[in-house]
Coordinates of all heavy atoms in Angstrom, one line a residue:
M3 N 0.8 -1.2 0.0 CA 0.0 0.0 0.0 C 0.9 1.2 0.0 O 1.8 1.3 0.8 CB -0.9 0.0 1.2 CG -1.8 1.3 1.3 SD -2.6 1.6 2.8 CE -3.7 0.2 3.0
K4 N 0.6 2.1 -0.9 CA 1.4 3.4 -1.0 C 0.8 4.4 0.0 O -0.4 4.6 0.1 CB 1.4 3.9 -2.4 CG 2.2 5.1 -2.6 CD 2.3 5.4 -4.1 CE 3.1 6.6 -4.3 NZ 3.2 7.1 -5.6
R5 N 1.7 5.0 0.8 CA 1.3 6.0 1.8 C 1.7 7.4 1.3 O 2.9 7.6 1.0 CB 2.0 5.7 3.1 CG 1.6 6.6 4.2 CD 2.3 6.3 5.4 NE 2.1 7.4 6.4 CZ 2.9 7.6 7.4 NH1 3.9 6.8 7.6 NH2 2.7 8.6 8.2
S6 N 0.8 8.3 1.3 CA 1.2 9.7 0.9 C 1.1 10.5 2.2 O 0.3 10.3 3.1 CB 0.2 10.3 -0.1 OG -1.1 10.5 0.4
T7 N 2.0 11.5 2.3 CA 2.1 12.3 3.5 C 0.9 13.3 3.5 O 0.4 13.7 2.4 CB 3.4 13.1 3.6 OG1 3.4 14.0 2.5 CG2 4.6 12.2 3.6
A8 N 0.5 13.7 4.7 CA -0.6 14.7 4.8 C -0.2 16.0 4.1 O -1.0 16.6 3.4 CB -0.9 14.9 6.3
G9 N 1.0 16.4 4.2 CA 1.5 17.6 3.6 C 1.3 17.6 2.1 O 0.8 18.5 1.4
S10 N 1.8 16.5 1.4 CA 1.8 16.5 0.0 C 0.4 16.3 -0.5 O 0.0 16.8 -1.6 CB 2.7 15.4 -0.5 OG 2.3 14.1 -0.1
S11 N -0.5 15.5 0.2 CA -1.8 15.3 -0.3 C -2.7 16.6 -0.1 O -3.5 16.9 -0.9 CB -2.5 14.2 0.4 OG -2.6 14.4 1.8
V12 N -2.4 17.4 0.9 CA -3.1 18.6 1.1 C -2.7 19.7 0.2 O -3.5 20.5 -0.3 CB -2.9 19.1 2.6 CG1 -3.5 20.5 2.8 CG2 -3.6 18.1 3.6
L13 N -1.4 19.7 -0.1 CA -0.9 20.9 -0.8 C -0.5 20.7 -2.3 O 0.1 21.5 -2.9 CB 0.3 21.5 -0.1 CG -0.1 22.0 1.3 CD1 1.1 22.5 2.0 CD2 -1.1 23.2 1.1
T14 N -0.8 19.5 -2.9 CA -0.4 19.3 -4.2 C -0.9 20.4 -5.1 O -2.1 20.6 -5.2 CB -0.9 17.9 -4.7 OG1 -0.3 16.9 -3.8 CG2 -0.4 17.6 -6.1
S15 N 0.0 21.1 -5.8 CA -0.4 22.1 -6.8 C -1.2 23.2 -6.2 O -2.0 23.8 -6.9 CB -1.1 21.5 -7.9 OG -0.3 20.5 -8.5
V16 N -1.1 23.6 -4.9 CA -1.8 24.7 -4.4 C -1.1 26.0 -4.7 O 0.1 26.1 -4.4 CB -2.0 24.5 -2.8 CG1 -2.6 25.8 -2.2 CG2 -2.8 23.3 -2.5
A17 N -1.9 26.9 -5.2 CA -1.3 28.3 -5.5 C -2.5 29.2 -5.3 O -3.4 29.2 -6.2 CB -0.7 28.4 -6.8
V18 N -2.6 30.0 -4.2 CA -3.7 30.9 -4.0 C -3.1 32.2 -3.5 O -2.0 32.3 -3.1 CB -4.7 30.3 -3.0 CG1 -5.4 29.1 -3.5 CG2 -4.0 30.0 -1.7
G19 N -3.9 33.2 -3.7 CA -3.5 34.6 -3.2 C -4.3 35.0 -2.1 O -5.4 34.6 -1.9
A20 N -3.8 36.0 -1.4 CA -4.6 36.6 -0.3 C -4.2 38.1 -0.2 O -3.1 38.5 -0.3 CB -4.1 35.9 1.0
L21 N -5.3 38.9 0.0 CA -5.1 40.3 0.2 C -4.9 40.5 1.7 O -5.8 40.2 2.5 CB -6.2 41.1 -0.3 CG -6.1 42.6 -0.1 CD1 -4.9 43.1 -0.9 CD2 -7.4 43.3 -0.6
L22 N -3.8 41.0 2.2 CA -3.5 41.1 3.6 C -3.1 42.6 3.9 O -2.7 43.3 3.1 CB -2.2 40.2 3.9 CG -2.4 38.8 3.5 CD1 -1.1 38.0 3.7 CD2 -3.5 38.1 4.3
V23 N -3.4 42.9 5.2 CA -3.1 44.3 5.6 C -2.0 44.2 6.6 O -2.0 43.4 7.5 CB -4.4 44.9 6.3 CG1 -4.1 46.3 6.8 CG2 -5.5 44.9 5.3
G24 N -1.0 45.1 6.5 CA 0.1 45.2 7.4 C 0.5 46.7 7.5 O 0.1 47.5 6.7
C25 N 1.2 47.1 8.5 CA 1.6 48.4 8.6 C 2.9 48.5 9.4 O 3.2 47.6 10.2 CB 0.5 49.3 9.3 SG 0.1 48.8 10.9
S26 N 3.6 49.6 9.2 CA 4.8 49.8 10.0 C 5.1 51.3 10.1 O 4.5 52.0 9.3 CB 6.0 49.1 9.4 OG 6.3 49.7 8.2
A27 N 5.9 51.6 11.0 CA 6.2 53.0 11.2 C 7.7 53.1 11.4 O 8.3 52.3 12.1 CB 5.5 53.7 12.3
S28 N 8.3 54.1 10.9 CA 9.7 54.4 11.1 C 9.9 55.3 12.3 O 9.1 56.2 12.5 CB 10.3 55.0 9.8 OG 11.4 55.8 10.0
P29 N 10.9 55.0 13.2 CA 11.0 55.9 14.4 C 11.3 57.3 14.1 O 11.0 58.2 14.9 CB 12.2 55.2 15.1 CG 12.8 54.2 14.2 CD 11.8 54.0 13.1
D30 N 11.9 57.6 12.9 CA 12.2 59.0 12.6 C 11.1 59.7 11.9 O 11.2 60.8 11.4 CB 13.5 59.2 11.9 CG 13.5 58.4 10.6 OD1 12.5 57.8 10.2 OD2 14.6 58.2 10.0
G31 N 9.9 59.0 11.7 CA 8.8 59.6 11.1 C 8.7 59.5 9.6 O 7.8 59.8 8.9
E32 N 9.8 58.9 8.9 CA 9.8 58.7 7.5 C 8.9 57.5 7.2 O 8.9 56.6 7.9 CB 11.2 58.5 7.0 CG 12.1 59.7 7.1 CD 13.5 59.4 6.5 OE1 13.7 58.5 5.8 OE2 14.4 60.2 6.9
K33 N 8.3 57.6 6.0 CA 7.5 56.5 5.6 C 8.4 55.3 5.2 O 9.3 55.5 4.4 CB 6.6 56.9 4.4 CG 5.8 55.9 3.8 CD 4.5 55.8 4.5 CE 3.6 54.8 3.7 NZ 2.8 54.0 4.5
S34 N 8.1 54.1 5.7 CA 8.9 53.0 5.3 C 7.9 52.0 4.6 O 6.7 52.2 4.6 CB 9.6 52.4 6.5 OG 8.6 51.9 7.4
E35 N 8.5 50.9 4.1 CA 7.7 49.9 3.5 C 6.9 49.2 4.5 O 7.3 48.9 5.6 CB 8.6 48.9 2.7 CG 9.3 49.5 1.5 CD 10.5 48.8 1.1 OE1 11.1 48.1 1.9 OE2 10.8 48.9 -0.1
P36 N 5.6 48.9 4.2 CA 4.8 48.2 5.2 C 5.3 46.8 5.4 O 6.0 46.2 4.6 CB 3.4 48.1 4.5 CG 3.7 48.3 3.0 CD 4.9 49.1 2.9
K37 N 5.1 46.2 6.6 CA 5.5 44.9 7.0 C 4.4 44.2 7.6 O 3.5 44.8 8.2 CB 6.7 45.0 8.0 CG 8.0 45.5 7.4 CD 9.1 45.4 8.4 CE 10.4 46.0 7.8 NZ 11.5 46.0 8.7
M38 N 4.4 42.9 7.6 CA 3.5 42.0 8.3 C 4.3 41.0 9.1 O 5.3 40.5 8.5 CB 2.6 41.3 7.3 CG 1.6 40.4 8.0 SD 0.4 39.7 6.9 CE -0.5 41.1 6.4
S39 N 3.9 40.8 10.3 CA 4.7 39.9 11.2 C 4.7 38.5 10.6 O 3.7 38.1 9.9 CB 4.1 39.9 12.6 OG 2.9 39.2 12.6
A40 N 5.7 37.8 10.9 CA 5.9 36.4 10.5 C 4.7 35.5 11.0 O 4.2 34.7 10.3 CB 7.2 35.8 11.0
D41 N 4.3 35.8 12.3 CA 3.2 35.0 12.8 C 1.9 35.3 12.1 O 1.1 34.4 11.8 CB 3.0 35.4 14.3 CG 4.1 34.9 15.2 OD1 4.8 33.9 14.8 OD2 4.2 35.4 16.3
K42 N 1.6 36.5 11.7 CA 0.4 36.9 10.9 C 0.4 36.2 9.5 O -0.6 35.6 9.1 CB 0.3 38.4 10.8 CG -0.9 38.8 10.0 CD -1.8 39.6 10.9 CE -3.0 40.1 10.0 NZ -4.2 40.3 10.8
V43 N 1.6 36.3 8.9 CA 1.7 35.6 7.5 C 1.4 34.1 7.7 O 0.7 33.6 6.9 CB 3.1 35.9 6.9 CG1 3.2 35.1 5.6 CG2 3.3 37.4 6.7
S44 N 2.1 33.5 8.7 CA 1.9 32.1 8.9 C 0.4 31.7 9.1 O -0.1 30.8 8.5 CB 2.7 31.6 10.1 OG 4.1 31.8 10.0
S45 N -0.2 32.5 10.0 CA -1.6 32.2 10.3 C -2.5 32.4 9.1 O -3.4 31.6 8.8 CB -2.1 33.2 11.4 OG -3.4 33.1 11.6
L46 N -2.3 33.5 8.3 CA -3.1 33.7 7.1 C -2.9 32.7 6.0 O -3.9 32.3 5.3 CB -3.0 35.1 6.6 CG -3.5 36.2 7.6 CD1 -3.0 37.6 7.2 CD2 -5.0 36.1 7.7
V47 N -1.7 32.3 5.8 CA -1.4 31.2 4.8 C -2.1 29.9 5.2 O -2.7 29.3 4.4 CB 0.1 31.0 4.6 CG1 0.4 29.8 3.8 CG2 0.7 32.3 3.9
A48 N -2.0 29.6 6.5 CA -2.6 28.4 7.0 C -4.1 28.4 6.8 O -4.8 27.5 6.4 CB -2.3 28.1 8.5
Q49 N -4.7 29.6 7.1 CA -6.1 29.8 7.0 C -6.6 29.6 5.6 O -7.6 29.0 5.3 CB -6.5 31.2 7.5 CG -8.0 31.5 7.5 CD -8.3 32.9 8.1 OE1 -7.4 33.7 8.3 NE2 -9.5 33.2 8.3
K50 N -5.8 30.3 4.6 CA -6.2 30.2 3.2 C -6.1 28.7 2.7 O -6.9 28.3 1.9 CB -5.2 31.1 2.4 CG -5.8 32.4 2.0 CD -7.1 32.3 1.4 CE -7.4 33.5 0.5 NZ -8.8 33.7 0.1
L51 N -5.0 28.0 3.1 CA -4.8 26.6 2.7 C -6.0 25.8 3.2 O -6.5 24.9 2.5 CB -3.5 26.1 3.2 CG -2.3 26.6 2.5 CD1 -1.0 26.1 3.2 CD2 -2.3 26.1 1.0
A52 N -6.4 26.0 4.5 CA -7.5 25.2 5.0 C -8.8 25.5 4.3 O -9.5 24.5 3.9 CB -7.7 25.6 6.5
S53 N -9.1 26.7 3.9 CA -10.3 27.0 3.2 C -10.3 26.5 1.8 O -11.3 26.1 1.2 CB -10.6 28.5 3.3 OG -9.7 29.3 2.5
T54 N -9.1 26.5 1.2 CA -9.0 26.0 -0.2 C -9.1 24.5 -0.3 O -9.7 24.0 -1.2 CB -7.6 26.4 -0.8 OG1 -7.5 27.9 -0.7 CG2 -7.4 26.0 -2.2
T55 N -8.5 23.8 0.7 CA -8.4 22.3 0.6 C -9.6 21.7 1.4 O -9.8 20.5 1.2 CB -7.1 21.8 1.2 OG1 -7.0 22.2 2.6 CG2 -5.9 22.3 0.4
G56 N -10.3 22.4 2.3 CA -11.3 21.8 3.1 C -10.7 20.9 4.2 O -11.4 20.2 4.9
K57 N -9.4 21.1 4.5 CA -8.8 20.3 5.6 C -8.5 21.2 6.8 O -8.6 22.4 6.6 CB -7.4 19.8 5.1 CG -7.5 19.0 3.8 CD -7.9 17.6 4.1 CE -7.9 16.8 2.8 NZ -8.4 15.5 2.9
P58 N -8.2 20.7 7.9 CA -7.8 21.5 9.1 C -6.6 22.4 8.8 O -5.8 22.1 7.9 CB -7.5 20.5 10.2 CG -8.1 19.2 9.8 CD -8.1 19.2 8.3
K59 N -6.5 23.5 9.5 CA -5.4 24.4 9.3 C -4.1 23.7 9.6 O -3.9 23.1 10.6 CB -5.5 25.6 10.2 CG -6.5 26.7 9.7 CD -6.8 27.8 10.6 CE -5.6 28.4 11.3 NZ -5.9 29.7 12.0
P60 N -3.2 23.8 8.6 CA -1.9 23.1 8.8 C -1.0 24.0 9.7 O -1.2 25.2 9.9 CB -1.3 23.0 7.4 CG -1.9 24.1 6.6 CD -3.3 24.3 7.2
D61 N 0.1 23.4 10.2 CA 1.1 24.1 11.0 C 2.1 24.8 10.0 O 2.9 24.1 9.3 CB 1.8 23.1 11.9 CG 2.9 23.8 12.7 OD1 2.9 25.0 12.9 OD2 3.8 23.1 13.2
I62 N 2.0 26.1 9.9 CA 2.9 26.8 9.0 C 3.8 27.7 9.8 O 3.3 28.4 10.8 CB 2.1 27.8 8.0 CG1 1.1 27.0 7.2 CG2 3.1 28.6 7.2 CD1 1.7 26.3 6.0
S63 N 5.1 27.8 9.5 CA 6.0 28.7 10.2 C 6.8 29.5 9.1 O 7.3 28.9 8.2 CB 6.9 28.0 11.2 OG 7.8 27.1 10.5
C64 N 6.9 30.8 9.4 CA 7.6 31.7 8.5 C 8.8 32.3 9.3 O 8.6 32.6 10.5 CB 6.7 32.8 7.9 SG 5.4 32.2 6.9
P65 N 9.9 32.5 8.7 CA 11.1 32.9 9.5 C 11.2 34.3 9.9 O 12.0 34.7 10.8 CB 12.3 32.5 8.6 CG 11.7 32.7 7.2 CD 10.3 32.2 7.3
K66 N 10.5 35.2 9.2 CA 10.7 36.7 9.4 C 9.4 37.4 9.0 O 8.6 36.8 8.3 CB 11.9 37.2 8.7 CG 11.9 37.0 7.2 CD 13.2 37.4 6.6 CE 13.1 37.1 5.1 NZ 14.3 37.4 4.4
D67 N 9.4 38.7 9.3 CA 8.3 39.6 8.8 C 8.4 39.7 7.3 O 9.4 39.6 6.7 CB 8.4 41.0 9.4 CG 8.2 41.0 10.9 OD1 7.7 39.9 11.5 OD2 8.4 42.0 11.5
L68 N 7.2 39.8 6.7 CA 7.1 40.0 5.2 C 7.2 41.5 4.9 O 6.4 42.3 5.4 CB 5.8 39.4 4.7 CG 5.6 39.5 3.2 CD1 6.7 38.7 2.4 CD2 4.2 39.0 2.8
V69 N 8.1 41.9 4.1 CA 8.3 43.3 3.7 C 7.4 43.6 2.5 O 7.5 42.8 1.5 CB 9.8 43.6 3.4 CG1 9.9 45.1 2.9 CG2 10.6 43.4 4.6
G70 N 6.6 44.6 2.5 CA 5.7 45.0 1.4 C 6.4 45.7 0.3 O 6.2 46.8 0.1
K71 N 7.2 44.9 -0.4 CA 7.9 45.4 -1.6 C 7.7 44.4 -2.7 O 8.0 43.2 -2.5 CB 9.4 45.6 -1.3 CG 10.2 46.2 -2.5 CD 11.6 46.4 -2.2 CE 12.4 46.9 -3.4 NZ 13.8 47.1 -3.1
V72 N 7.2 44.9 -3.9 CA 6.8 44.0 -5.0 C 8.1 43.1 -5.3 O 9.2 43.7 -5.5 CB 6.3 44.7 -6.2 CG1 6.1 43.8 -7.4 CG2 5.0 45.4 -5.9
G73 N 7.9 41.8 -5.4 CA 8.9 40.9 -5.8 C 9.6 40.2 -4.6 O 10.3 39.3 -4.8
T74 N 9.4 40.8 -3.4 CA 9.9 40.2 -2.2 C 9.4 38.7 -2.0 O 8.2 38.5 -2.2 CB 9.6 41.0 -0.9 OG1 10.1 42.3 -1.1 CG2 10.1 40.3 0.3
T75 N 10.3 37.8 -1.8 CA 9.9 36.4 -1.5 C 10.4 36.0 -0.1 O 11.3 36.5 0.4 CB 10.4 35.4 -2.6 OG1 11.9 35.5 -2.5 CG2 10.0 35.8 -4.0
M76 N 9.6 35.0 0.4 CA 10.0 34.4 1.7 C 9.6 33.0 1.6 O 8.6 32.6 1.1 CB 9.2 35.2 2.8 CG 9.5 34.6 4.2 SD 8.8 35.6 5.5 CE 7.0 35.6 5.2
R77 N 10.5 32.1 2.2 CA 10.2 30.7 2.3 C 9.6 30.4 3.7 O 10.2 30.7 4.7 CB 11.4 29.9 2.1 CG 12.0 30.0 0.7 CD 11.2 29.2 -0.3 NE 11.4 27.8 -0.1 CZ 10.7 26.8 -0.6 NH1 9.7 27.1 -1.4 NH2 10.9 25.5 -0.3
C78 N 8.4 29.8 3.7 CA 7.8 29.3 4.9 C 7.8 27.8 4.9 O 8.2 27.2 3.8 CB 6.4 29.8 5.0 SG 6.3 31.6 5.1
E79 N 7.5 27.1 6.0 CA 7.5 25.7 6.0 C 6.2 25.2 6.6 O 5.8 25.6 7.7 CB 8.7 25.2 6.8 CG 8.8 23.7 6.9 CD 10.1 23.3 7.6 OE1 10.1 23.3 8.8 OE2 11.1 23.0 6.9
L80 N 5.6 24.2 6.0 CA 4.4 23.5 6.5 C 4.9 22.2 7.1 O 5.7 21.5 6.5 CB 3.5 23.2 5.4 CG 2.2 22.4 5.8 CD1 1.1 22.8 4.9 CD2 2.4 20.9 5.7
T81 N 4.5 21.9 8.3 CA 4.8 20.6 9.0 C 3.6 19.8 9.1 O 2.6 20.3 9.8 CB 5.5 20.8 10.4 OG1 6.7 21.6 10.2 CG2 5.9 19.5 11.0
A82 N 3.5 18.7 8.5 CA 2.3 17.8 8.6 C 2.3 17.0 9.9 O 3.3 16.9 10.6 CB 2.3 16.9 7.4
S83 N 1.2 16.4 10.1 CA 1.0 15.7 11.4 C 1.9 14.5 11.5 O 2.3 14.0 12.6 CB -0.4 15.2 11.6 OG -0.8 14.4 10.4
D84 N 2.4 14.0 10.3 CA 3.3 12.8 10.3 C 4.8 13.3 10.4 O 5.7 12.4 10.4 CB 3.1 11.9 9.1 CG 3.5 12.6 7.8 OD1 3.9 13.8 7.8 OD2 3.4 12.0 6.8
G85 N 5.0 14.6 10.6 CA 6.4 15.1 10.7 C 7.0 15.5 9.4 O 8.1 16.1 9.4
S86 N 6.4 15.2 8.3 CA 7.0 15.6 7.0 C 6.8 17.1 6.8 O 6.0 17.7 7.5 CB 6.3 14.8 5.8 OG 4.9 15.1 5.8
T87 N 7.7 17.7 6.0 CA 7.6 19.1 5.8 C 7.5 19.4 4.3 O 7.8 18.6 3.4 CB 8.9 19.8 6.3 OG1 10.0 19.3 5.6 CG2 9.0 19.6 7.8
L88 N 6.9 20.6 4.0 CA 6.7 21.1 2.7 C 7.0 22.6 2.7 O 6.5 23.3 3.5 CB 5.2 20.8 2.3 CG 4.9 21.0 0.8 CD1 5.6 20.0 0.0 CD2 3.4 20.8 0.7
G89 N 7.8 23.0 1.7 CA 8.2 24.4 1.6 C 7.0 25.1 0.9 O 6.3 24.6 0.1
V90 N 6.8 26.4 1.4 CA 5.8 27.3 0.8 C 6.5 28.6 0.5 O 7.1 29.2 1.4 CB 4.7 27.5 1.8 CG1 3.6 28.4 1.2 CG2 4.0 26.2 2.2
T91 N 6.4 29.0 -0.8 CA 7.0 30.3 -1.2 C 6.0 31.4 -1.2 O 4.9 31.2 -1.9 CB 7.7 30.2 -2.5 OG1 8.7 29.2 -2.5 CG2 8.4 31.5 -3.0
V92 N 6.2 32.5 -0.5 CA 5.3 33.6 -0.5 C 6.0 34.7 -1.3 O 7.1 35.0 -1.1 CB 5.1 34.1 1.0 CG1 4.3 35.4 1.0 CG2 4.5 33.0 1.9
T93 N 5.2 35.3 -2.2 CA 5.8 36.4 -3.1 C 4.8 37.6 -3.1 O 3.6 37.4 -3.4 CB 5.9 35.8 -4.5 OG1 6.7 34.7 -4.5 CG2 6.6 36.9 -5.4
V94 N 5.4 38.7 -2.8 CA 4.6 40.0 -2.8 C 4.4 40.4 -4.3 O 5.3 40.5 -5.1 CB 5.3 41.1 -2.1 CG1 4.5 42.4 -2.2 CG2 5.5 40.8 -0.6
T95 N 3.1 40.5 -4.6 CA 2.7 40.9 -6.0 C 2.4 42.3 -6.2 O 2.5 42.9 -7.3 CB 1.5 40.0 -6.5 OG1 0.4 40.2 -5.6 CG2 1.9 38.5 -6.6
S96 N 1.9 43.0 -5.2 CA 1.6 44.4 -5.2 C 1.4 45.0 -3.8 O 1.2 44.3 -2.9 CB 0.3 44.7 -6.1 OG -0.8 44.2 -5.4
V97 N 1.6 46.3 -3.7 CA 1.4 47.0 -2.5 C 0.6 48.3 -2.8 O 0.9 49.0 -3.7 CB 2.8 47.4 -1.9 CG1 2.6 48.1 -0.6 CG2 3.6 46.1 -1.7
D98 N -0.4 48.5 -1.9 CA -1.2 49.7 -2.1 C -1.3 50.3 -0.7 O -2.1 49.9 0.1 CB -2.6 49.3 -2.6 CG -3.5 50.5 -2.8 OD1 -3.0 51.7 -2.9 OD2 -4.7 50.4 -2.9
G99 N -0.5 51.3 -0.5 CA -0.4 51.9 0.9 C 0.1 50.9 1.9 O 1.2 50.4 1.7
D100 N -0.7 50.5 2.9 CA -0.3 49.5 3.8 C -0.8 48.1 3.5 O -0.6 47.2 4.2 CB -0.8 49.9 5.2 CG 0.0 51.1 5.8 OD1 1.1 51.3 5.4 OD2 -0.5 51.7 6.8
R101 N -1.5 48.0 2.4 CA -2.0 46.7 1.9 C -1.0 46.0 1.1 O -0.4 46.5 0.2 CB -3.3 46.9 1.1 CG -4.4 47.4 1.9 CD -5.7 47.4 1.0 NE -6.8 47.8 1.9 CZ -7.7 47.0 2.4 NH1 -7.5 45.7 2.2 NH2 -8.6 47.4 3.1
I102 N -0.7 44.7 1.5 CA 0.3 43.9 0.8 C -0.5 42.8 0.1 O -1.2 42.0 0.8 CB 1.3 43.3 1.8 CG1 2.0 44.4 2.5 CG2 2.2 42.3 1.1 CD1 2.9 43.9 3.7
N103 N -0.4 42.6 -1.2 CA -1.0 41.6 -1.9 C 0.1 40.5 -2.2 O 1.1 40.9 -2.8 CB -1.7 42.1 -3.2 CG -2.5 41.1 -3.9 OD1 -3.1 40.2 -3.3 ND2 -2.6 41.2 -5.2
F104 N -0.2 39.3 -1.9 CA 0.8 38.3 -2.2 C 0.2 37.0 -2.6 O -1.0 36.7 -2.3 CB 1.8 38.1 -1.1 CG 1.2 37.4 0.2 CD1 1.1 36.1 0.3 CD2 0.9 38.2 1.3 CE1 0.6 35.5 1.4 CE2 0.4 37.6 2.4 CZ 0.2 36.2 2.5
D105 N 0.9 36.2 -3.3 CA 0.6 34.8 -3.7 C 1.5 33.9 -2.9 O 2.6 34.3 -2.6 CB 0.8 34.6 -5.2 CG -0.2 35.3 -6.1 OD1 -1.3 35.7 -5.6 OD2 0.1 35.6 -7.2
F106 N 1.1 32.7 -2.8 CA 1.9 31.7 -2.2 C 1.7 30.4 -3.0 O 0.7 30.1 -3.5 CB 1.8 31.5 -0.7 CG 0.4 31.1 -0.2 CD1 0.1 29.7 -0.1 CD2 -0.5 32.0 0.0 CE1 -1.1 29.3 0.4 CE2 -1.8 31.6 0.5 CZ -2.1 30.3 0.6
E107 N 2.8 29.6 -3.0 CA 2.8 28.3 -3.7 C 3.6 27.3 -2.9 O 4.7 27.5 -2.5 CB 3.3 28.5 -5.1 CG 3.2 27.2 -5.9 CD 3.6 27.5 -7.4 OE1 4.0 28.6 -7.7 OE2 3.5 26.5 -8.2
A108 N 3.0 26.1 -2.8 CA 3.6 25.0 -2.1 C 4.6 24.3 -3.0 O 4.3 24.2 -4.2 CB 2.6 24.0 -1.5
D109 N 5.7 23.7 -2.5 CA 6.5 22.9 -3.3 C 5.7 21.7 -3.7 O 4.8 21.2 -3.1 CB 7.7 22.4 -2.5 CG 8.7 23.6 -2.1 OD1 8.5 24.7 -2.7 OD2 9.6 23.4 -1.3
P110 N 6.1 21.1 -4.9 CA 5.4 19.9 -5.4 C 5.6 18.6 -4.6 O 4.8 17.7 -4.7 CB 5.9 19.7 -6.8 CG 7.2 20.4 -6.8 CD 7.2 21.5 -5.8
K111 N 6.7 18.6 -3.8 CA 7.0 17.3 -3.1 C 7.4 17.6 -1.6 O 8.1 18.6 -1.3 CB 8.2 16.6 -3.8 CG 8.5 15.3 -3.2 CD 9.6 14.6 -4.0 CE 9.9 13.3 -3.4 NZ 10.9 12.6 -4.2
A112 N 6.9 16.8 -0.7 CA 7.2 17.0 0.7 C 8.5 16.3 1.0 O 8.9 15.3 0.4 CB 6.1 16.4 1.6
S113 N 9.2 16.8 2.1 CA 10.4 16.1 2.6 C 10.0 15.2 3.7 O 9.1 15.5 4.5 CB 11.4 17.1 3.2 OG 11.8 18.0 2.2
P114 N 10.6 14.0 3.8 CA 10.2 13.1 4.9 C 10.5 13.6 6.3 O 11.3 14.6 6.5 CB 11.1 11.8 4.6 CG 12.1 12.2 3.6 CD 11.7 13.5 3.0
A115 N 9.8 13.0 7.3 CA 10.0 13.4 8.7 C 11.5 13.3 9.0 O 12.2 12.4 8.6 CB 9.2 12.6 9.6
R116 N 12.0 14.2 9.8 CA 13.4 14.2 10.3 C 13.6 13.3 11.5 O 12.8 13.0 12.3 CB 13.8 15.6 10.6 CG 13.8 16.5 9.5 CD 14.2 17.9 9.9 NE 13.5 18.8 8.9 CZ 13.4 20.1 9.1 NH1 13.8 20.6 10.1 NH2 12.8 20.8 8.2

């Protein structure tokens, strides 16, 4: 019997976008690029994946805040219940004031549990 990991079965060919709101302020009063916390990005990506796949929210972790600059990419990681992992690439597609629009796409293949 062939066993597929939860991560790969949930995320095969998933590519969806989300309109997200973030903001930041520079201490000297100058306008800087908006940012969204890593925790917020992780939570929103997990929420979008759950609504797209009809499965429970996966465990997603992102390493840093997302900078609202078109073309910025960040690699996040999904950890499935069996311990396997799947990379997720987040890419900023547009910024409108403090609104950051980004797409994300899961890698086609999961890595086995460590």
